[in-house]
């Protein structure tokens, strides 16, 4: 098991990867630097190897797939994950590592949004999107995470080995955050400077399609982790719809004693039944989520025991 492993997912980053590896080795000389290439068509692999990184490959396209491969293959006491685009200064990495190794943090967030992100980033819709995602998750999950979608993070062994990677693309950062919040894992924050990509380096993000995928991921994870809240909201919406269409029928019946819109009445009844069903489904799934939470704590305790046994050996 490595003490510190630096994980760099890469796709066509020949302009910056050598500098990122060199800066990493300077900031964390005791760390092993892994570059995971995701089907690059430029000189990323060649330059990363020449800079001294251990180069490995993930052939399924997508950042989520790369992270799944990294987390499966690497064993370390502390993991630092950073993008290969040279937008994050690596001098903040030692502080993040210290919070994992000395303060027992499970995830350390490299917070761009509290420093230079909004002035350095030249894409206004990305700025809006980051603020929207941060506000949505903090409200839905009752947390105060400063930067949801940062690509600069540090993790404990326990987090990495219990994190179920379900996303395939850039929405993976959102999934990491919600996993840590829901399972009451220790999250620390380190404010880091952000710098825009250097000239000639192209972003792989699509503002609109990736933004919709992130919002879809938030909805899916809210349903999975907070089923009672999700299905109660669905039940409320269905009940309101049924009530709105039922009131005119009731008023007409009181005035005339005749129901003249039987099809609408039947639909209202079925929609109200669906609302009741959604509410009770939320209650059942909430109990299942609580059981999953208990099972997670059991698995985490087993993993922590494995780390202690390895230290003794």
């Amino acid at each position: 098991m490595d003490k510190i492993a630096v994980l760099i997912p890469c796709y066509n980053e020949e302009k910056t990867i050598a500098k990122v590896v060199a800066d990493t080795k300077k900031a964390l000389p005791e760390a092993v630097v892994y570059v995971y290439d995701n089907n690059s068509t430029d000189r990323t692999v060649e330059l990363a190897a020449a800079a001294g990184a251990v180069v490995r490959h993930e052939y399924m396209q997508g950042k989520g797939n790369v992270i799944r491969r990294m987390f499966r293959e690497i064993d370390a006491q502390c993991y630092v994950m950073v993008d290969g685009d040279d937008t994050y200064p690596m001098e903040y990495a030692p502080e993040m590592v210290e919070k994992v190794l000395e303060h027992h943090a499970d995830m350390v967030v490299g917070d761009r949004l509290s420093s230079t992100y909004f002035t350095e980033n030249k894409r206004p819709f990305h700025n809006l999107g980051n603020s929207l995602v941060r506000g949505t998750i903090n409200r839905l999950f009752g947390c105060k995470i400063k930067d949801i979608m940062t690509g600069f993070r540090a993790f404990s062994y326990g987090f990495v080995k219990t994190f179920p990677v379900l996303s395939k693309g850039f929405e993976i950062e959102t999934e990491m955050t919600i996993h840590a919040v829901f399972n009451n894992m220790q999250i620390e924050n380190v404010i880091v400077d952000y710098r825009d990509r250097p000239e000639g380096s192209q972003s792989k993000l699509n503002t609109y399609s990736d933004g919709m995928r992130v919002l879809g991921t938030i909805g899916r994870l809210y349903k999975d982790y907070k089923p009672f809240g999700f299905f109660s909201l669905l039940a409320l919406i269905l009940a309101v719809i049924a009530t709105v269409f039922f009131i005119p029928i009731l008023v007409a019946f009181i005035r005339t004693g005749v129901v003249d819109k039987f099809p609408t009445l039947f639909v209202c009844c079925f929609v109200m039944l669906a609302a009741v069903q959604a509410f009770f489904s939320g209650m059942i799934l909430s109990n299942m989520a609580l059981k999953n939470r208990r099972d997670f704590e059991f698995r985490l305790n087993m993993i922590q025991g494995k780390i202690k046994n390895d230290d003794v050996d």
Side-chain angles (χ1 to χ4, degrees), residues 278-290:
F279 178 78
F280 283 104
S281 296
M283 293 181 64
I284 295 170
L285 292 173
S286 180
N287 287 331
M288 295 177 64
L290 179 60

Side-chain angles (χ1 to χ4, degrees), residues 84-100:
D85 55 9
D86 194 33
T87 54
Y88 301 97
M90 289 305 297
E91 54 261 32
Y92 296 97
E95 181 182 356
M96 298 170 73
V97 168
E98 180 185 5
K99 287 185 178 295
V100 173

Side-chain angles (χ1 to χ4, degrees), residues 223-279:
K223 174 179 69 68
D224 293 342
Y225 287 122
K226 300 276 190 176
F228 185 73
F230 179 87
F231 284 99
S232 293
L233 178 61
L234 177 61
L236 177 62
I237 293 172
L238 292 173
V240 168
I241 292 173
T243 302
V244 167
F245 283 93
F246 174 74
I247 288 175
I249 298 175
L250 178 62
V251 171
F253 176 76
I254 292 173
R255 288 178 178 174
T256 64
V258 177
V259 177
D260 58 353
K261 295 182 179 179
F262 273 105
T264 304
L265 178 61
F266 291 150
V267 171
C268 289
C269 291
F270 281 114
V271 172
M272 186 61 74
L273 286 174
V276 173
Q277 186 178 26
F279 178 78

Side-chain angles (χ1 to χ4, degrees), residues 11 25 31 84 91 155 173 187 193 201 208 210 233:
Y11 173 63
K25 286 182 168 293
E91 54 261 32
F155 308 102
E173 284 97 353
I187 304 172
D193 288 337
S201 176
Y208 303 104
D210 286 326
L233 178 61

Side-chain angles (χ1 to χ4, degrees), residues 117-300:
Y117 182 80
F118 293 109
T119 55
E120 284 288 319
N121 184 48
K122 304 302 188 296
R123 294 159 292 186
F125 283 107
H126 283 214
N127 296 341
L128 175 63
N130 272 279
S131 298
L132 175 63
V133 170
R134 178 177 62 178
T136 301
I137 290 181
N138 284 338
R139 180 174 294 273
L140 288 178
F141 290 88
C143 56
K144 296 181 180 179
I145 307 298
K146 299 296 184 181
D147 192 346
I148 304 295
M149 302 178 67
T150 177
F152 192 16
R153 299 171 188 253
F155 308 102
S156 67
Y157 180 83
F159 179 94
V160 167
K161 297 306 179 182
T162 59
F163 174 54
V165 181
L166 303 178
S167 300
K168 298 178 181 179
F170 285 94
E171 63 271 27
I172 187 67
E173 284 97 353
T174 304
E175 190 173 333
M176 288 177 176
T177 302
I178 294 175
H179 173 76
V181 168
F182 177 76
N183 289 295
N184 197 32
M185 305 183 88
Q186 183 178 338
I187 304 172
E188 299 284 349
N189 194 73
V190 172
I191 297 176
V192 302
D193 288 337
Y194 176 88
R195 54 198 177 212
D196 203 10
R197 281 174 171 267
E199 185 176 354
S201 176
Q202 298 296 321
S203 174
K204 316 305 183 301
L205 289 173
N206 183 291
T207 301
Y208 303 104
S209 64
D210 286 326
M212 292 304 296
R213 286 165 63 185
V214 168
L215 293 177
T217 298
I218 294 173
R220 172 176 59 82
L221 294 175
Y222 184 64
K223 174 179 69 68
D224 293 342
Y225 287 122
K226 300 276 190 176
F228 185 73
F230 179 87
F231 284 99
S232 293
L233 178 61
L234 177 61
L236 177 62
I237 293 172
L238 292 173
V240 168
I241 292 173
T243 302
V244 167
F245 283 93
F246 174 74
I247 288 175
I249 298 175
L250 178 62
V251 171
F253 176 76
I254 292 173
R255 288 178 178 174
T256 64
V258 177
V259 177
D260 58 353
K261 295 182 179 179
F262 273 105
T264 304
L265 178 61
F266 291 150
V267 171
C268 289
C269 291
F270 281 114
V271 172
M272 186 61 74
L273 286 174
V276 173
Q277 186 178 26
F279 178 78
F280 283 104
S281 296
M283 293 181 64
I284 295 170
L285 292 173
S286 180
N287 287 331
M288 295 177 64
L290 179 60
K291 180 183 181 301
N292 292 337
R293 179 75 177 81
R294 290 168 178 158
D295 292 342
F296 172 82
E297 287 295 329
F298 179 72
R299 294 196 306 272
L300 188 60

